Amino acid sequence: ESILIVEDEPLVLSLMEATLSNLGFTIIAADNPREALAILEAGEHQIDMLISDVVMPEMNGAELAARFRERLPDITVLLVSGYTANFIPESRESGGIHFLQKPFSISKITAAVKSALNSRPGRT
């Protein structure tokens, strides 16, 4: 599966990119929402999952996820943030939107991605 990661912290982006590519996922990386939307608009990549930081310049992760859902209604979304899920109502685990609290370990991001992808309709 193909995952687009949007994260404005270079170290966190590199960690997620390396971890998930080592698990066999195809990774597309963007360091800001504008770049992520350009990737979506170009249509050159299949994108099965969006992983986005919640707090970023220009647009927050929930807004970015909503924009992606306009084009890809079934995309699985994992929002990551140092804020709690209660602080971000759009991040509730419903409708394919999941939340992971920062900081997280390699095992936590791995488990969160696998859980989110396995929770899609039609998956067992």
Side-chain angles (χ1 to χ4, degrees), residues 17-32:
E17 189 174 6
T19 299
L20 297 174
S21 64
N22 284 340
L23 293 172
F25 293 106
T26 300
I27 302 300
I28 307 146
D31 62 8
N32 63 66

Side-chain angles (χ1 to χ4, degrees), residues 52-107:
S52 178
D53 189 8
V54 172
V55 179
M56 293 182 292
E58 303 169 25
M59 179 184 304
N60 71 46
E63 293 168 332
L64 182 63
R67 297 276 299 271
F68 266 75
R69 285 275 173 91
E70 291 170 6
R71 286 272 304 268
L72 304 170
D74 295 328
I75 193 168
T76 300
V77 176
L78 176 63
L79 297 177
V80 296
S81 179
Y83 297 98
T84 66
N86 292 337
F87 180 75
I88 308 150
E90 299 90 344
S91 70
R92 303 276 181 187
E93 293 192 19
S94 63
I97 298 181
H98 305 267
F99 180 80
L100 178 63
Q101 182 78 39
K102 284 182 178 178
F104 51 79
S105 64
I106 289 172
S107 62

